[in-house]
Amino acid sequence: MPAKPESKPSTTHVPTPGRGPLAGVRVLEIAGLGPGPFAAMLLADLGADVVRLDRPGGSALSGDPALDVTNRSKRSVVLDLKTPEGVARTLDLAARADLLIEGFRPGVTERLGIGPAECLARNPALVYGRITGWGQDGPLAQAAGHDIGYIATAGVLGLVGPKDGPPSIPVNLLGDYAGGSLYLVVGLLAALHHARATGAGQVVDAAIVDGSAHLTSVLWGFMAGGRWHDQRGVNIIDGGAPFYAVYETADGRHMAVGALEPQFFAEFVKLLDLPPDAPGQRDLGRWDELRTLIAARFATRTQAEWTEVFEGTDACVAPVLTLHEAADHPHLRARASYAHHAGHSAQSARNTGSSQGTGDPVLQPSPAPRFSATPNPAPRPPALPDAERAAVAADWDVPSLLDTTPTQS
């Protein structure tokens, strides 16, 4: 972890837990992977009562459910959607829900008998959220895919990386979660607002390609005005400008520079101690020379040393940190951006299936954003499969969840 300049110790601010702005909203999540569970987690973080419908045996890709942070603050019911009773009980839950989230390929829930028509017939005010890579229609709607392919097709992957190298892979944050989960949540809440005003539910079609494309809106305006080239690594905020770039330090670490405004660039030049005859910020013809000078200066000290020079100034320079380093950064500690939240004990997870948090706390991101009048609830441990079926049956008034009698087909 880079050394920090001496300062008064900060007081960690852990928000007082509340019920959250979505208290009372019921969400039925049909278990899936990636953007669907993350969207449901975000709703749970905001106080919604999220019930996750898990499949028998779970998924081989899901890992240990006791450590799946995206399933925190939810409850789980296991139902087999390939059986008549599983379908019937899913429809019973949908009849009591405000929002539903599913992430199957188009047409799958219809074939299972839990599609929009069946669910809205039981609950006309239901908002039925569908999250897919390609969307519910279009030539590729039935094709398999993953985040990297969706953002490649949307033109987003081609934006990231050096001009003389291949595109860089931004994990699966841009497509699955920014272009997918967040747009799904916005759509669900907008449709919920409409449903509560009119009594009419609807289907929300959240396609990762659509959301990822929408994220580029500002760039299309730049291109229309001649301020952006449709080429990677040659623009002012994609690494093309030497004052908005990443530089290696003497110890092989990196510093991120974002000194866009003239006053911030002036502060950056002063603290980096560039020579008086260094190229100016707007001297585009000498940008390569400026980049070489900046790189040479950063190579003279370690990341910790440069952090001590720049942190807290208006030069807009920051160390590039790992996740664990970020969690230990004084500013993020002060805001509890990362915090230890309740986890499962190994014995509890094995023997009782409890989701009440009797184990060691688990380091993870805290709920965001924050609310002044309706604080977020403290995250509960991840839902364990079928652990709270009885409680869900009672709270949602779905007694069929406790009925072991097979449904007649």
Side-chain angles (χ1 to χ4, degrees):
M1 180 69 190
K4 303 296 188 297
E6 291 186 6
S7 61
K8 294 181 180 180
S10 59
T11 302
T12 298
H13 174 66
V14 179
T16 303
R19 298 183 64 222
L22 294 185
V25 174
R26 289 175 173 166
V27 182
L28 178 60
E29 175 199 351
I30 311 298
L33 297 172
F38 185 87
M41 181 202 75
L42 179 51
L43 295 169
D45 282 349
L46 300 181
D49 180 6
V50 178
V51 171
R52 177 178 166 93
L53 199 162
D54 283 305
R55 69 188 69 179
S59 167
L61 297 177
S62 297
D64 184 351
L67 298 175
D68 188 347
V69 171
T70 63
N71 282 331
R72 70 187 184 189
S73 300
K74 304 176 185 179
R75 298 186 287 180
S76 168
V77 171
V78 172
L79 292 175
D80 188 349
L81 295 178
K82 296 181 179 179
T83 66
E85 54 267 27
V87 169
R89 289 161 190 166
T90 298
L91 292 175
D92 289 343
L93 286 166
R96 303 291 294 160
D98 298 297
L99 309 174
L100 182 148
I101 294 173
E102 66 93 0
F104 293 110
R105 292 195 204 189
V108 170
T109 59
E110 285 86 347
R111 291 195 294 274
L112 290 171
I114 56 170
E118 293 87 354
C119 289
L120 269 76
R122 293 288 301 274
N123 181 359
L126 178 68
V127 177
Y128 195 105
R130 317 191 81 166
I131 177 70
T132 59
W134 303 113
Q136 295 300 306
D137 53 37
L140 295 177
Q142 292 296 330
H146 281 294
D147 171 284
I148 190 171
Y150 307 141
I151 64 173
T153 303
V156 175
L157 183 61
L159 296 170
V160 185
K163 65 179 180 181
D164 54 355
S168 299
I169 302 173
V171 199
N172 67 328
L173 301 180
L174 276 180
D176 280 353
Y177 301 128
S181 304
L182 296 185
Y183 278 86
L184 173 61
V185 168
V186 169
L188 289 171
L189 296 182
L192 177 63
H193 176 74
H194 176 266
R196 290 191 164 177
T198 67
Q202 60 183 302
V203 175
V204 176
D205 174 9
I208 294 172
V209 289
D210 293 347
S212 299
H214 192 262
L215 289 171
T216 69
S217 297
V218 68
L219 302 183
W220 287 92
F222 286 170
M223 283 193 289
R227 300 167 58 198
W228 189 269
H229 300 285
D230 196 7
Q231 181 184 347
R232 180 174 60 256
V234 299
N235 299 284
I236 194 167
I237 53 173
D238 67 353
F243 45 85
Y244 200 91
V246 174
Y247 292 93
E248 187 173 352
T249 56
D251 55 347
R253 303 297 302 276
H254 295 87
M255 300 294 289
V257 177
L260 283 172
E261 293 80 359
Q263 68 273 26
F264 300 155
F265 178 75
E267 181 74 357
F268 168 65
V269 167
K270 182 180 74 173
L271 293 177
L272 192 64
D273 196 22
L274 290 182
D277 60 349
Q281 183 180 23
R282 302 303 173 189
D283 191 352
L284 274 65
R286 300 180 65 194
W287 270 7
D288 287 344
E289 180 184 349
L290 179 59
R291 188 185 304 274
T292 298
L293 286 172
I294 294 172
R297 285 295 298 142
F298 273 118
T300 64
R301 300 185 191 180
T302 66
Q303 185 190 66
E305 291 169 331
W306 284 120
T307 298
E308 189 170 359
V309 169
F310 285 109
E311 191 157 271
T313 73
D314 280 354
C316 301
V317 177
V320 178
L321 303 179
T322 67
L323 288 175
H324 280 94
E325 289 172 338
D328 196 40
H329 189 281
H331 182 79
L332 274 64
R333 281 207 318 269
R335 288 186 54 81
S337 301
Y338 292 93
H340 286 85
H341 297 294
H344 295 287
S345 70
Q347 174 125 3
S348 170
R350 280 196 309 268
N351 297 342
T352 71
S354 171
S355 293
Q356 297 308 309
T358 58
D360 294 332
V362 176
L363 181 63
Q364 58 194 279
S366 294
R370 303 179 186 187
F371 301 85
S372 60
T374 55
N376 305 85
R380 303 192 312 274
L384 298 177
D386 219 34
E388 296 176 77
R389 176 187 286 256
V392 172
D395 295 345
W396 283 39
D397 192 20
V398 183
S400 64
L401 290 177
L402 303 180
D403 185 1
T404 58
T405 304
T407 301
Q408 297 298 317
S409 54

